[in-house]
């Protein structure tokens, strides 16, 4: 199997590009396989985005034209409800994939893989080093506030309000070093990445030709 730290992120990207091209039946099968594979972790990951999923479904149900479900002026439509459910299922699968990615790979390995993937942004004047360092600091502060479990809104507000005093005393500058080990891309890992990305590219080309 590939050992390059960017490979799991490439797999997640390929999954995100593939899901919109799947039929509802294939999407349901993928979700069932993911739920069985992840087990109890599915419910923990789903609870964190439940309000986002409900909002997504409601937005499509009440805004997409179609056959109303009830004989009222503000009735949701069957087409909107179906489209919202499919979009919510795609988002849920991606959240499960992120949960799997976070559980299987250490943080520094994920950052090294992200650093490797964003190297082309240097051509546009964006510094990959600064991007990865800022992301690392953001994730570190988020972990301090939330811990291992998703906090309630009141607990999060309390942590935010008490973490910084009204008039913080000046702190001496602190120098920290972040070292990432990103091995060079081997031929085997490159072939694996090409094979994974060929799936969404092939589906996109097939849809452009025969869709």
């Amino acid at each position: 199997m590939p050992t390059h730290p960017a490979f799991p992120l490439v797999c997640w990207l390929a999954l995100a590009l593939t899901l919109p091209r799947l039929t509802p039946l294939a999407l349901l099968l993928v979700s069932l396989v993911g739920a069985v594979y992840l087990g109890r972790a599915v419910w923990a990951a789903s609870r964190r985005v439940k309000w986002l999923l409900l909002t997504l479904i409601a937005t499509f149900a009440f805004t997409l034209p179609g056959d109303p479900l009830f004989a009222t002026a503000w009735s949701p439509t069957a087409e909107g409800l179906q489209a919202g459910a499919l979009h919510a299922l795609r988002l849920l699968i991606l959240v499960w994939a992120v949960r799997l990615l976070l559980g299987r790979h250490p943080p520094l390995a994920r950052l090294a893989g992200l650093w490797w993937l964003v190297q082309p942004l240097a051509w546009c004047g964006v510094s990959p080093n600064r991007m990865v360092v800022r992301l690392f600091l953001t994730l570190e502060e988020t972990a301090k506030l939330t811990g291992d479990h998703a906090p309630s809104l009141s607990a999060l507000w309390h942590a935010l309000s008490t973490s910084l005093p009204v008039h913080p005393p000046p702190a001496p500058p602190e120098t920290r070093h972040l070292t990432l080990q990103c091995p060079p891309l081997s031929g085997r890992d490159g072939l694996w990445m090409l094979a994974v990305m060929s799936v969404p590219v092939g589906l996109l080309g097939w849809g452009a030709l025969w869709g």
Side-chain angles (χ1 to χ4, degrees), residues 93-114:
I93 293 174
L94 290 178
V95 170
W96 294 349
V98 169
R99 182 61 181 259
L100 181 62
L101 183 65
L102 295 178
R104 293 293 184 88
H105 303 278
L108 291 182
R110 298 194 300 267
L111 288 175
L114 179 63

Side-chain angles (χ1 to χ4, degrees), residues 59-73:
T59 300
F60 276 92
F62 285 96
T63 59
L64 197 65
D67 298 327
L69 295 178
F70 310 104
T72 59

Side-chain angles (χ1 to χ4, degrees), residues 124-208:
C124 304
V126 179
S127 174
N129 295 340
R130 292 184 179 180
M131 179 184 296
V132 171
V133 168
R134 289 174 180 174
L135 178 61
F136 171 77
L137 294 176
T138 301
L139 295 177
E140 188 179 57
E141 292 301 320
T142 303
K144 291 179 181 178
L145 290 175
T146 61
D148 296 332
H149 304 284
S152 61
L153 290 179
S154 59
L156 182 58
W157 178 257
H158 177 73
L160 289 172
S161 60
T162 57
S163 60
L164 292 177
V166 179
H167 300 289
E174 180 184 359
T175 302
R176 302 178 60 185
H177 300 277
L178 177 63
T179 303
L180 300 178
Q181 296 181 355
C182 187
L185 183 67
S186 64
R188 185 187 64 175
D189 291 342
L191 290 177
W192 272 102
M193 291 184 185
L194 288 177
V196 169
M197 290 303 299
S198 67
V199 175
V201 172
L203 290 176
L204 183 62
W206 179 269

Side-chain angles (χ1 to χ4, degrees), residues 31-32 34-51 53 89 92-93 95-97 99-100 149-150:
S31 64
L32 290 177
V36 172
Y37 182 77
L38 291 177
R40 294 183 178 181
V42 165
W43 309 115
S46 303
R47 283 197 303 268
R48 297 194 175 191
V49 294
K50 59 182 178 181
W51 294 114
L53 297 176
L89 187 57
L92 192 59
I93 293 174
V95 170
W96 294 349
R99 182 61 181 259
L100 181 62
H149 304 284

